[in-house]
Amino acid sequence: DLAATGGYPQPGDKLGRISIEGTQVDCDLYYGDSDAEFDKGAGLYTGTGIPGEGRTIISGAHTNTYYRDLESVEEGDEILVSTRYGDYKYRVTGTRVATDTDTTAYDLEADHENLVLYTCYPFGALYETPMRYFLFGRLVSGPTVELP
């Protein structure tokens, strides 16, 4: 229950943890995608949903740290997002490399909950690049969030 656990997150709030079985992706997840969040873990873009809301969720992290091992993820793998209000599982459905300005790489108007992870590309770059690696997941299980 979102309301009983502090309500809708605010930028900078720790939302929980994200991990992908069989990879080194396992870090704290924060609401917001500024350097402040990316320095501590993965961040959720505030213009999208949160787990359980039934919308597109976009999460980013640095390619030389927290999302470095996204290259090991394969279609069918499971992404686990543990929040203060429930655990969510997503199944990886595909990947794509696109420019940082290519908004066709994700669908903010999708009629189902999906998770998009992104990081700079090529993997391990120590500087911001114009390319992004996108990984897509579809909700498998998790509680529905009741919004006020």
Side-chain angles (χ1 to χ4, degrees):
D1 180 355
L2 190 61
T5 58
Y8 207 86
Q10 298 301 306
D13 288 353
K14 181 178 171 185
L15 191 62
R17 224 168 152 74
I18 185 167
S19 61
I20 304 174
E21 191 176 322
T23 74
Q24 295 175 17
V25 176
D26 185 1
C27 62
D28 288 336
L29 182 62
Y30 294 87
Y31 190 67
D33 63 348
S34 72
D35 285 340
E37 288 84 25
F38 279 20
D39 287 347
K40 298 184 287 187
L44 280 189
Y45 175 54
T46 58
T48 63
I50 61 171
E53 198 173 356
R55 299 172 43 204
T56 298
I57 303 161
I58 298 182
S59 170
H62 289 309
T63 185
N64 61 342
T65 56
Y66 303 105
Y67 278 2
R68 172 64 182 94
D69 205 26
L70 282 187
E71 68 181 329
S72 298
V73 180
E74 298 180 1
E75 195 168 319
D77 285 355
E78 194 170 90
I79 303 166
L80 177 62
V81 178
S82 298
T83 71
R84 62 182 189 251
Y85 56 88
D87 293 335
Y88 296 84
K89 290 182 182 176
Y90 300 85
R91 180 96 43 229
V92 175
T93 59
T95 62
R96 177 177 174 189
V97 174
T99 66
D100 59 353
T101 57
D102 185 354
T103 57
T104 66
Y106 46 85
D107 181 5
L108 294 180
E109 305 301 320
D111 62 358
H112 60 278
E113 185 164 318
N114 65 99
L115 177 64
V116 181
L117 307 184
Y118 75 92
T119 194
C120 286
Y121 187 83
F123 292 108
L126 298 177
Y127 51 89
E128 189 168 334
T129 71
M131 301 303 289
R132 297 291 179 270
Y133 182 84
F134 293 93
L135 184 143
F136 306 98
R138 181 114 186 207
L139 180 66
V140 173
S141 64
T144 299
V145 170
E146 299 296 327
L147 297 175

